Amino acid sequence: MIAEKSATWILLLLVIFSVFFDPSVSQLDSRWAAKKRQMREKVRKMFYHAYENYIAHAFPHDELKPLTKSFTDSLSELGNLKLEHLPQDYNGSALTLIESLSSLVILGNYTEFGRAVLWLSENLNFDVDARVNLFECNIRVLGGLVSAHLLATDSTNRLLQGSYNNQLLYLAEDLGQRFLFAFDTPTGLPYAWINLKYGVMENETTETSTSGCGSLILEMGALSQLTGDPRYESAALRALRKLWSMRSSLNLLGTTLDVATGEWIEHSSGIGAGVDSFYEYLYKAHILFGKEEFWRMFHSAYLAVQKYFRHGPWYHEADMRTGKATYWQLTSLQAFWPGLQVLVGDIAAANSSHREFFYLWKKYGVLPERYLLDHQTVHPTEKYYPLRPELAESTFYLYQATKDPWYIQVGEFIVNSLNLYTKVEGGFASIRDVTTMQTEDHQHSFFLAETCKYLYLLFDDSFLVNRNYIFTTEGHPLPVLSAWHDKLPETYIPSNWTYIKNEKQVKQASAMSLQVCPAMSLSSGDGDQKVESACHVPDARSDHRCFSDEECGVDAINCRRRSCSIAGYCGLWLLL
């Protein structure tokens, strides 16, 4: 008997050894590691080709025009003026340089980072007569300065030792003070445009977007934490609360509104342009600052999106008042959504949408700005691709969550497409028409801030090892610090999760309501039922039989409440 048991254990160990030490498995891992190193170096070359051409032909102005090897000051209306007509006190905002700061750190180029910080501290000046877009200036300039300051002062990075005296923070604070004039409205919702020197100008437009006034909390909140001045976070938070109070009874918001009256202008919206970063910042603000208020807003908003916008793997637009579909179209900005779903834990839904976006990328070579789902064709006037990063971003997040090498292949395809269609002698050019691949003379700063960054991190995530960051909507990393967090209510302390889930009154709870990943949440009810998404609540019985609606859960795909039929089965009967 002892001999038989010994033989069994030896056989078992041999099986385990063959699984874990199979030479073919080891060789496969080695090949993937080599592929990632190869692709990392390709992305590194892409970044420096874009960066060095910007320095050579456009610095210190905003962005590079790679075809003519010239510049554009795209952040403000100064972009419409010729060089000889620029204000005398205008030295350029060096937008692309600011946007490149954190990318330089991630690529390990601390010397160039130091040179850039020194130049900005000595030359950057915001006291100029320039009308700028508040949202863009916030996510690109303020976010870039705050992120770079945090990287420069992080002792683990060993950057600028002894030569950095908070110069970037002083610049960020100067800019933040200029932002405050935009919030002087009857509603607390900020103007979309401000003059950096004179504040809000006479007869300034009062129209803005949901993203424009609802996506300021990360950068301005971080600025308050760093300076001890609560005005920045308070202004952004007041605007966010006002915006949330304007939601419909369905928990949906529109796309554009009037900051003076607080009335909606455009009631149709989705998860794309004009709204996208609003959803993103609700969840990331909860991660960064720990406020339950942000979580409650996001929870309600996310469920509403899944209920009224989702159609299979796609998300159409709908009227905020009725939930009825308005436009069956995809915009390239929507490609950020799978990345956000990864943070929520909805991996299956994220993968489903991501694959559809990638299918369109392969179909056209790059991702068109707008695609008509009902006609299965590119929008006739929005055929362009301006080097956007959203698909690369979601690919990075999905690889981090799954480690599925298929996403490495996706990244490789994106890199090869960018080099094939957009690389020119003077940098990387946007695509004017994806059906002809005609190029356009513009290299947006977010190509360096986001597109190259997310592709590099996909192939080499060493920057993130033993660190906890969230990335702003412009790809600027902000560390998650306990000192910035509100104390969480006892209900959400991990030690209490098991107790809560065993309580009868809350046994039918979604992973989202429990604030855990769907993969971690415990099954409830009769039998072992799989929790398929963040909003999914399984039916009380595994055979889906019921006597009342209370025994039915929430659908995993569209997050709608299931009901009990006359025949005694749970389902989405009210939608039939």
Side-chain angles (χ1 to χ4, degrees):
M1 178 68 70
I2 295 176
E4 289 179 2
K5 286 185 177 181
S6 298
T8 301
W9 276 109
I10 292 172
L11 181 62
L12 180 60
L13 288 172
L14 288 173
V15 171
I16 294 173
F17 183 86
S18 66
V19 171
F20 285 98
F21 299 97
D22 185 348
S24 62
V25 174
S26 177
Q27 291 171 5
L28 184 62
D29 290 342
S30 178
R31 285 198 297 270
W32 280 116
K35 170 63 71 175
K36 288 169 67 176
R37 288 193 299 270
Q38 176 193 6
M39 295 310 302
R40 177 192 65 193
E41 294 311 306
K42 273 193 175 184
V43 177
R44 186 191 300 274
K45 290 178 181 178
M46 288 171 59
F47 175 86
Y48 283 115
H49 182 68
Y51 180 80
E52 289 168 0
N53 271 286
Y54 163 74
I55 295 297
H57 304 299
F59 175 77
H61 294 276
D62 284 349
E63 293 176 324
L64 171 68
K65 298 176 75 173
L67 299 180
T68 56
K69 297 181 181 179
S70 56
F71 68 87
T72 173
D73 285 302
S74 54
L75 190 63
S76 73
E77 289 189 328
L78 294 176
N80 299 320
L81 300 179
K82 294 182 179 180
L83 181 61
E84 61 268 23
H85 296 152
L86 291 173
Q88 291 183 354
D89 60 352
Y90 186 72
N91 296 316
S93 68
L95 174 63
T96 298
L97 183 67
I98 296 171
E99 290 256 73
S100 301
L101 291 173
S102 58
S103 296
L104 288 168
V105 173
I106 289 173
L107 269 65
N109 194 339
Y110 304 151
T111 301
E112 184 64 17
F113 176 81
R115 281 198 292 260
V117 170
L118 180 61
W119 187 93
L120 290 169
S121 63
E122 294 178 349
N123 295 278
L124 189 58
N125 174 30
F126 295 123
D127 191 30
V128 293
D129 183 7
R131 180 175 179 260
V132 301
N133 183 276
L134 176 68
F135 168 73
E136 295 292 347
C137 200
N138 174 70
I139 64 172
R140 297 191 188 202
V141 183
L142 183 62
L145 292 173
V146 167
S147 173
H149 165 74
L150 286 162
L151 290 172
T153 54
D154 183 354
S155 59
T156 63
N157 288 321
R158 297 185 177 181
L159 302 175
L160 310 178
Q161 290 183 349
S163 62
Y164 182 70
N165 296 305
N166 299 327
Q167 299 99 312
L168 297 180
L169 181 59
Y170 296 145
L171 286 168
E173 188 171 19
D174 177 31
L175 183 60
Q177 289 173 357
R178 297 173 192 276
F179 282 0
L180 294 178
F181 293 106
F183 294 86
D184 186 15
T185 65
T187 60
L189 298 168
Y191 284 94
W193 294 86
I194 57 167
N195 184 290
L196 289 177
K197 192 178 188 73
Y198 301 111
V200 178
M201 303 300 287
E202 188 177 359
N203 299 321
E204 182 59 82
T205 178
T206 57
E207 181 175 345
T208 191
S209 67
T210 298
S211 290
C213 55
S215 308
L216 305 166
I217 189 64
L218 291 187
E219 294 84 359
M220 296 187 72
L223 183 59
S224 282
Q225 293 290 339
L226 291 168
T227 62
D229 187 338
R231 292 181 299 164
Y232 314 113
E233 182 176 8
S234 295
L237 186 55
R238 181 191 175 201
L240 183 58
R241 286 170 174 164
K242 174 61 180 177
L243 185 65
W244 183 242
S245 74
M246 294 166 58
R247 70 193 186 280
S248 71
S249 60
L250 305 178
N251 286 328
L252 296 176
L253 293 88
T255 303
T256 59
L257 58 141
D258 190 300
V259 301
T261 65
E263 299 294 328
W264 289 105
I265 297 173
E266 176 56 68
H267 292 90
S268 177
S269 73
I271 59 169
V275 190
D276 49 354
S277 54
F278 165 76
Y279 296 108
E280 179 184 3
Y281 272 36
L282 287 180
Y283 191 55
K284 289 183 176 179
H286 171 64
I287 296 173
L288 191 62
F289 303 119
K291 290 183 185 293
E292 285 300 300
E293 179 181 12
F294 297 135
W295 169 257
R296 289 192 295 269
M297 291 181 189
F298 177 76
H299 187 180
S300 300
Y302 183 80
L303 295 184
V305 165
Q306 298 301 98
K307 284 182 181 180
Y308 299 108
F309 296 160
R310 186 176 181 182
H311 182 78
W314 298 114
Y315 291 82
H316 57 72
E317 295 181 21
D319 191 304
M320 63 174 285
R321 299 163 295 188
T322 64
K324 301 295 184 182
T326 52
Y327 301 107
W328 289 83
Q329 59 186 7
L330 167 153
T331 63
S332 62
L333 289 171
Q334 293 178 5
F336 91 98
W337 189 255
L340 181 61
Q341 288 187 303
V342 168
L343 295 180
V344 177
D346 266 349
I347 307 299
N351 175 63
S352 175
S353 295
H354 176 272
R355 286 177 181 268
E356 296 300 327
F357 281 111
F358 183 52
Y359 166 77
L360 281 183
W361 183 288
K362 289 193 296 182
K363 180 178 180 180
Y364 291 101
V366 291
L367 196 61
E369 184 69 5
R370 196 175 296 268
Y371 182 82
L372 303 178
L373 294 171
D374 47 354
H375 294 93
Q376 294 291 295
T377 187
V378 176
H379 191 281
T381 62
E382 297 186 51
K383 301 179 179 181
Y384 53 89
Y385 169 68
L387 306 174
R388 291 202 188 280
E390 284 75 18
L391 183 60
E393 175 186 1
S394 288
T395 304
F396 157 71
Y397 278 112
L398 276 162
Y399 180 69
Q400 285 292 312
T402 66
K403 297 303 180 185
D404 185 340
W406 182 78
Y407 295 108
I408 298 298
Q409 294 178 302
V410 172
E412 181 179 15
F413 197 96
I414 293 173
V415 168
N416 291 339
S417 296
L418 290 171
N419 280 302
L420 177 62
Y421 298 118
T422 72
K423 185 178 181 181
V424 295
E425 183 182 357
F428 284 84
S430 299
I431 300 296
R432 185 186 299 275
D433 185 340
V434 301
T435 63
T436 65
M437 287 301 174
Q438 178 188 2
T439 53
E440 184 174 358
D441 198 13
H442 199 167
Q443 178 183 287
H444 291 269
S445 63
F446 54 67
F447 180 72
L448 289 158
E450 298 181 83
T451 309
C452 289
K453 177 181 292 160
Y454 284 122
L455 288 171
Y456 187 88
L457 287 172
L458 171 64
F459 303 121
D460 183 350
D461 61 0
S462 56
F463 170 76
L464 301 173
V465 173
N466 297 323
R467 294 186 175 104
N468 194 4
Y469 287 102
I470 60 105
F471 290 89
T472 70
T473 196
E474 195 69 8
H476 298 306
L478 298 175
V480 180
L481 305 172
S482 59
W484 291 12
H485 267 222
D486 285 358
K487 183 179 179 182
L488 292 175
E490 288 187 5
T491 305
Y492 297 103
I493 295 175
S495 61
N496 289 341
W497 283 346
T498 303
Y499 169 77
I500 293 169
K501 283 180 246 185
N502 288 334
E503 286 290 310
K504 289 184 179 180
Q505 64 267 27
V506 292
K507 70 177 182 179
Q508 282 192 294
S510 68
M512 210 166 187
S513 64
L514 295 175
Q515 293 190 326
V516 296
C517 250
M520 294 171 56
S521 60
L522 300 179
S523 299
S524 61
D526 181 26
D528 184 20
Q529 301 185 58
K530 182 181 178 182
V531 179
E532 297 175 2
S533 73
C535 66
H536 182 207
V537 177
D539 298 331
R541 293 166 56 107
S542 58
D543 60 3
H544 309 293
R545 296 298 301 269
C546 59
F547 294 100
S548 66
D549 290 346
E550 286 71 27
E551 294 178 271
C552 299
V554 175
D555 188 77
I557 295 177
N558 60 26
C559 299
R560 293 178 181 268
R561 169 65 66 177
R562 291 156 62 85
S563 59
C564 190
S565 69
I566 296 175
Y569 285 91
C570 292
L572 295 173
W573 310 117
L574 298 179
L575 298 180
L576 299 179

